[in-house]
């Protein structure tokens, strides 16, 4: 059997994702699509709107055959590590290719960009060192450094999905260039669009905005019916869809009851950010106000949200470094179709890493972090908190026939 | 000017407390009554029903002239340390006597008990070691050890106010027996009464029960009108009266996001209690359920509540030991009448400890702990959390003319 891979968050699964999965199958002619999906917390430093199990079900109903979990450490890391963890897992599971959505839509542009960059590596490193000293955030500095190269890169690296794609390919090259990269042009929606468009494809950001404007149904046109139903179901079970505001009382308590050195011990809290956090929390009655007070030119909003996430989850620098230094140490299956099941049986014996379907049967640092952060995630529930806490441990992989 | 002292929590101030203050003045003929009062958290390991400022005002309206704060470390400690901190502060402020309510009501019984115990010290120590090995809680073991003495003690040490009085006198003796002890028989209410009686005096426990049965007015008969009004005012400002349930989501989050060794680093978490806590929290959806699951023969309810309080406030063993090893290092004035003000002016120059009226002007470990725990206390507020957080730092001493 031939497998291809996609890297996803599905927060939530919408028509654009559906299109991506269908196109991926068409272009690769694969028998099986493996989706590497983030769990409770996402790369932008946010809690997922709804549970990983519901999002897994969406993925399977929408065309994926296997959903595996990108561990917390990688899922909440900056783009290079996020990409590395994801591509590593796809390769470990024997995929032959991977396919990502991008603004560019032309894979040769990505390849040429990497080739060009390889030949200008020294210049690039010099440029980036120069512009970093201006106090710019890393992404802004990287963009400037690219711009300043003698031979301009063919890829527009100001676009978020182009950046991610660029990192996937870099990771894959580091891992021996085993997987064939493919890209699909994103349709009709810009990543950052916040107003719902007129077509039936809108960005996840725009959909989330609509969801939190108190009217779930506003977003209904932009997603398959199963997404909408699963979202309503999750909201009923927990009394809410999750967002940062749900966790703000806990973050606030954590910051106010911790010493600066304790806060500094958490991952991504650097350069005195702990003092800014302690100062900002004193006059913030919402997460949004807090973030606005925290924001400076040096840090992106995403970077600051991730730091907040690690404070909330009490993720120490050392434990995060240890997990990020090496590739993911296990493959956790969140769900599969019958075809996916068949694929897993066929590769099972040749896997170099444990295939995890029941977390309680394994004792691994990455899974322990997943368990801890899942318990924190469950605290966002307004009702049935106890059952939300048990989800991580008691839910068997989702099977869709 | 002649001052006497009382040790109080006023949670809330009721008719029995009023009677105690009037009788204290009568019996001592003092010009000035100094009340040492616990702040946000109390000896039974509970948050105070309402703010220390409102309770200070109650004390002043009810007959006290000066209210000073018993620091967190002493206020939430077991009876011997609680008593030591309180008596020490009264002595430091130049009181000549102190007067406590007791079930016994006869000071000579207390004195004789201490004399008798002094002469049987060796036997008592032996007894207590013997019964402790049966796995009894310390208070139960102490009671058994008392019982087993050759000459029985004249004081009934199964009564909670007798025990406290016994500890006040022990502390005073340790401090050179400078203060004259007096006691007043408690009227009409047993400490543990949970049903409101028919007279106009009821125990604070019974009053709290009535308050949380959703009807503040049920308790109205048992307290002065100013208590009732201040309580309604505080409830309106914060959207709630405080109790443990208000803080349970934070305790739950703290326990679920901490490692066993982290939990064990907090004061009064001993002998594997951290594992019992982690286990019990998994099936508790209220503080009351949690406590019920935690309870064993070895620990009293109070002892366990105190351990929970230190987890909530993240009070480490070392910092608590450091603060408890020495007497309180400052005298913090929460409020005064004009008479109290005059008294303070008269003794000010001879004080050996800083007199604190503005916390931000002093940097002392005890005050830092007060500030941290006040911020946690403010998290219980349902509305106006930001102003609740500022109370500790911005409120000047309450002045009642």
């Amino acid at each position: 059997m031939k497998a291809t891979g996609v890297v996803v968050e599905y927060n939530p699964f919408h028509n654009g994702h559906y299109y991506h999965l269908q196109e991926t199958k068409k272009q690769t002619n694969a028998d099986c699509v493996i989706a590497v999906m983030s769990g409770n917390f996402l790369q932008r430093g946010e809690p997922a709107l709804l549970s990983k199990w519901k999002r897994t079900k969406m993925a399977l109903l929408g065309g994926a055959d296997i959903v595996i979990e990108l561990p917390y450490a990688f899922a909440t890391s900056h783009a290079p590590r996020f990409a590395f963890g994801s591509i590593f897992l796809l390769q470990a599971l024997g995929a032959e290719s991977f396919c990502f959505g991008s603004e560019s839509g032309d894979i040769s542009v990505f390849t040429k960009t990497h080739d060009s960059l390889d030949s200008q590596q020294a210049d690039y490193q010099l440029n980036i060192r120069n512009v970093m000293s201006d106090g710019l955030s890393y992404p802004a500095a990287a963009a400037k450094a690219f711009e300043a190269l003698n031979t301009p890169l063919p890829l527009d690296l100001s676009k978020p999905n182009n950046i991610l794609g660029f990192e996937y390919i870099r990771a894959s090259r580091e891992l021996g260039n085993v997987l064939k990269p493919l890209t699909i042009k994103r349709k009709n929606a810009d990543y950052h669009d916040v107003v719902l468009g007129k077509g039936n494809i809108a960005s996840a950001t725009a959909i989330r905005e609509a969801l939190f404007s108190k009217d779930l149904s506003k977003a209904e046109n932009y997603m398959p019916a199963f997404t909408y139903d699963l979202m309503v179901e999750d909201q009923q079970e927990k009394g809410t869809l999750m967002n940062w505001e749900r966790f703000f009382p806990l973050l606030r308590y954590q910051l106010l009851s911790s010493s600066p050195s304790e806060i500094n011990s958490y991952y991504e809290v650097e350069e005195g950010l702990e003092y800014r956090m302690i100062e900002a929390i004193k006059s913030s009655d919402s997460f949004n106000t807090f973030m606005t007070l925290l924001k400076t030119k040096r840090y992106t909003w995403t970077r600051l949200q991730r730091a907040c996430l690690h404070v909330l989850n009490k993720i120490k620098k050392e434990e995060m470094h240890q997990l990020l230094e090496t590739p993911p140490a296990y493959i956790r299956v969140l769900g599969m179709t019958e075809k996916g099941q068949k694929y897993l049986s066929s590769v099972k014996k040749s896997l170099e890493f444990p295939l995890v379907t029941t977390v309680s049967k394994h004792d691994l640092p990455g899974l322990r972090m997943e368990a801890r952060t899942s318990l924190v995630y469950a605290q966002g529930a307004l009702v049935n908190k106890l059952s939300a806490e048990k989800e991580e441990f008691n839910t068997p992989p989702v099977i869709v026939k």
Side-chain angles (χ1 to χ4, degrees), chain A:
Chain A
M1 284 175 88
K2 211 171 107 177
T4 189
V6 294
V7 179
V8 303
E9 291 191 328
Y10 293 159
N11 190 42
F13 188 94
H14 57 59
N15 291 346
H17 297 132
Y18 184 79
Y19 170 79
H20 172 222
L21 283 176
Q22 304 316 314
E23 279 298 304
T24 297
K25 285 186 193 181
K26 239 189 256 171
Q27 293 201 15
T28 59
N29 222 347
D31 306 299
C32 171
V33 179
I34 306 168
V36 178
M37 190 183 82
S38 307
N40 298 308
F41 296 100
L42 308 178
Q43 213 253 328
R44 282 167 53 84
E46 288 174 340
L49 213 52
L50 71 169
S51 96
K52 56 173 95 167
W53 308 105
K54 297 280 191 317
R55 280 155 51 235
T56 295
K57 200 163 178 188
M58 290 172 180
L60 297 174
L61 291 170
D65 296 295
I66 301 173
V67 180
I68 58 176
E69 183 172 49
L70 185 62
Y72 176 93
F74 294 91
T76 62
S77 205
H78 54 68
R81 247 16 228 166
F82 174 87
F84 180 83
S86 305
I87 299 300
F88 179 87
L89 283 170
L90 291 175
Q91 192 163 324
L93 252 185
E96 297 185 354
S97 59
F98 63 97
C99 180
F100 57 92
S102 64
E103 290 82 1
S104 149
D106 181 353
I107 199 70
S108 70
V109 174
F110 285 87
T111 324
K112 279 182 205 146
T113 299
H114 275 286
D115 292 342
S116 166
L117 194 59
D118 285 350
S119 66
Q120 300 181 81
Q121 203 46 249
D123 290 348
Y124 173 70
Q125 292 302 343
L126 193 67
N127 289 349
I128 205 162
R129 234 172 297 142
N130 288 340
V131 287
M132 282 291 275
S133 59
D134 295 347
L136 286 182
S137 70
Y138 179 79
K144 276 218 162 179
F146 285 138
E147 269 173 41
L149 289 175
N150 293 331
T151 317
L153 298 179
L155 186 63
D156 178 356
L157 279 164
S158 71
K159 302 281 184 197
N161 288 282
N162 284 352
I163 296 176
L164 272 176
F166 174 82
E167 295 294 348
Y168 295 144
I169 294 174
R170 168 145 70 185
S172 183
R173 286 185 171 211
E174 264 179 55
L175 290 164
N177 221 352
V178 176
L179 304 190
K180 183 182 172 200
L182 293 105
T183 189
I184 287 162
K185 195 173 167 60
R186 282 168 67 90
K187 278 186 71 175
N188 284 354
D190 245 334
Y191 181 72
H192 287 310
D193 276 359
V194 286
V195 182
L196 288 172
K198 283 191 183 149
N200 63 351
I201 289 187
S203 75
T205 307
I207 290 173
R208 286 193 297 274
E209 291 277 325
L211 292 174
F212 284 109
S213 68
K214 305 255 171 224
D215 188 5
L216 262 183
S217 64
K218 262 197 198 171
E220 201 175 349
N221 278 339
Y222 302 93
M223 53 184 68
F226 60 76
T227 287
Y228 187 74
D229 294 344
L230 283 164
M231 207 146 55
V232 170
E233 201 182 300
D234 207 60
Q235 191 184 28
Q236 279 166 354
E237 281 168 16
K238 299 187 179 145
T240 181
L241 289 173
M242 301 293 176
N243 66 5
W244 245 120
E245 298 298 348
R246 289 259 68 77
F247 298 92
F248 184 60
L250 304 182
L251 179 68
R252 159 174 217 91
Y253 160 65
Q254 196 58 254
L255 286 172
L256 290 173
S257 65
S258 303
S259 65
S261 70
E262 237 178 306
I263 301 172
N264 179 271
S265 73
Y266 300 125
Y267 189 61
E268 296 221 56
V269 180
E270 307 282 358
E271 301 163 337
L273 184 57
E274 63 274 24
Y275 295 102
R276 287 186 62 81
M277 286 178 157
I278 290 171
E279 205 40 48
I281 199 74
K282 286 184 196 160
S283 22
S284 305
D285 54 6
S286 72
F287 183 71
N288 194 59
T289 312
F290 178 62
M291 281 293 298
T292 308
L293 290 174
L294 216 54
K295 182 80 181 77
T296 59
K297 202 176 70 168
R298 174 169 279 278
Y299 298 113
T300 61
W301 187 276
T302 294
R303 168 78 171 65
L304 289 172
Q305 281 202 146
R306 286 205 304 258
C308 293
L309 205 61
H310 302 315
V311 173
L312 177 73
N313 283 309
K314 298 169 72 183
I315 303 292
K316 300 264 185 199
K317 290 192 168 84
E318 320 84 76
E319 52 176 341
M320 198 68 158
H321 289 150
Q322 269 173 27
L323 283 171
L324 288 175
E325 254 165 31
T326 51
Y330 59 89
I331 301 168
R332 181 182 186 188
V333 182
L334 292 176
M336 52 207 157
T337 59
E338 278 186 339
K339 213 193 289 167
Q341 223 159 353
K342 218 174 280 171
Y343 178 81
L344 284 177
S345 310
S346 76
V347 298
K348 208 172 173 178
K349 287 200 176 139
S350 57
L351 296 179
E352 288 176 50
F353 297 93
L355 198 66
V356 176
T357 51
T358 311
V359 287
S360 56
K361 287 190 184 157
H362 301 263
D363 186 25
L364 294 160
L367 283 173
R368 283 202 295 272
M369 186 177 281
E370 217 60 47
R372 262 168 62 201
T373 54
S374 289
L375 286 173
V376 172
Y377 184 74
Q379 304 312 306
L382 292 179
V383 294
N384 303 325
K385 208 171 274 187
L386 292 183
S387 57
E389 284 171 11
K390 292 189 175 69
E391 267 188 10
E392 175 72 3
F393 309 96
N394 295 355
T395 314
V398 179
I399 311 280
V400 163
K401 304 222 163 166

